[in-house]
Amino acid sequence: MPEAKRIMKPTPYATCADFRRIFDEDMKSLYLLSFLLTADHEKAEQCFVSGLDDAVEGNPVFMQWARSWARRAIIQNAVRVVSPRPIEASNHSNSAFGAGNGETNSNGKTLLAEQRAEIAADLKLEPFERFVYVMTVLERYSDQDCSLVLGCARRDVAAARTLALQQIGSARALHYHQLPNANSEKRAPHELSSSELQLLIAQV
C-alpha cells in the first residue's frame, strides 16, 4: 500500500494587511527609529511612508519576520535619503552636545528631559556614526550586516561605533552632572548610554 503523503500547511507569509497593521500598531516606534536615523522630521516621515510601501510591495516575508522586515525597510529608506558615508575623525566636534532642550516629537509635545538628552545625543552625531550606532547598538545588527547595508568596510563600522559611543558617553556625562540630585550612588552615565534609547525605540 503506497505511503500516504503528508499534507503540509501553507507557509504563513505576511500579507499587505499584516504590514499595514504592523505600521499602525508600531507607528511611534518605527517613526522614532526613522527620526533617530535621519535627524529630521520631514525625512523621517518620508522614510516611514516609503518603508510601508516597500514592505507592502516587496518580496514575500514569513509572518514571524514581518516586524523585523518593517524595521529594515525603514533603515534602508533612511540610508537612501541620507546617504551616510565615513568621514575623517578630525572633522568631528563635540561642541553641539548639550543642545536640544527644545526638541519636540511629531505631535509637538515636549519630550521628557531624560528622553531629550538621549535623543539629542544621537542626533548630534555625524550621519555615518549615527547610522552605525542605531543599527549596531540599538537594532543589534552585526558589523557585517551593517557594512552591507551602508556599503562600507567592517572596519569603518567598528571605528564609527567606537566614536559614537565616546561622544554619546560624553553627552550623557554632561547631562548627568547637570542633574540637581546627581550623586555617587547613581549609575555611571556610560551605563545609560544605549539602554534608554533601546527602551524608547521599543516602547514609545
Side-chain angles (χ1 to χ4, degrees):
M1 183 175 179
E3 182 180 354
K5 294 183 178 180
R6 297 181 60 185
I7 299 176
M8 304 297 293
K9 293 182 179 179
T11 305
Y13 288 110
T15 65
C16 295
D18 290 327
F19 277 116
R20 291 192 179 95
R21 176 179 53 79
I22 288 171
F23 271 78
D24 181 60
E25 292 176 352
D26 299 352
M27 182 181 298
K28 291 181 180 179
S29 173
L30 291 171
Y31 178 82
L32 179 58
L33 172 61
S34 184
F35 181 56
L36 289 175
L37 290 167
T38 61
D40 180 276
H41 285 299
E42 184 175 348
K43 291 179 180 178
E45 292 174 3
Q46 176 185 343
C47 291
F48 181 90
V49 173
S50 297
L52 173 58
D53 290 340
D54 289 349
V56 168
E57 299 174 3
N59 295 327
V61 178
F62 292 143
M63 187 61 203
Q64 62 265 34
W65 296 347
R67 276 189 160 80
S68 296
W69 194 256
R71 303 184 76 80
R72 189 176 184 86
I74 293 288
I75 292 171
Q76 289 175 327
N77 274 281
V79 170
R80 286 196 288 268
V81 169
V82 179
S83 299
R85 303 302 305 166
I87 62 175
E88 296 297 327
S90 59
N91 292 335
H92 295 279
S93 171
N94 293 330
S95 61
F97 283 105
N101 289 335
E103 185 60 57
T104 58
N105 63 15
S106 59
N107 295 322
K109 297 179 181 178
T110 303
L111 296 171
L112 297 175
E114 282 297 314
Q115 294 176 338
R116 286 207 309 271
E118 294 298 323
I119 293 176
D122 174 88
L123 300 182
K124 298 304 180 181
L125 293 171
E126 296 292 339
F128 184 74
E129 294 161 10
R130 188 169 65 246
F131 272 75
V132 168
Y133 176 76
V134 172
M135 292 174 66
T136 64
V137 177
L138 304 182
E139 294 295 306
R140 301 189 181 282
Y141 274 56
S142 68
D143 286 6
Q144 177 66 17
D145 287 344
C146 184
S147 68
L148 291 174
V149 173
L150 296 179
C152 65
R154 290 178 60 181
R155 63 177 179 274
D156 293 329
V157 170
R161 181 175 56 251
T162 297
L163 189 54
L165 289 172
Q166 289 173 347
Q167 295 194 36
I168 287 180
S170 297
R172 286 294 299 132
L174 177 62
H175 177 76
Y176 173 80
H177 289 300
Q178 289 175 342
L179 293 176
N181 296 324
N183 58 63
S184 59
E185 295 181 357
K186 292 187 177 181
R187 289 179 295 168
H190 68 273
E191 295 175 348
L192 306 176
S193 60
S194 64
S195 61
E196 292 182 12
L197 270 178
Q198 288 173 332
L199 288 174
L200 282 174
I201 287 180
Q203 299 177 5
V204 168

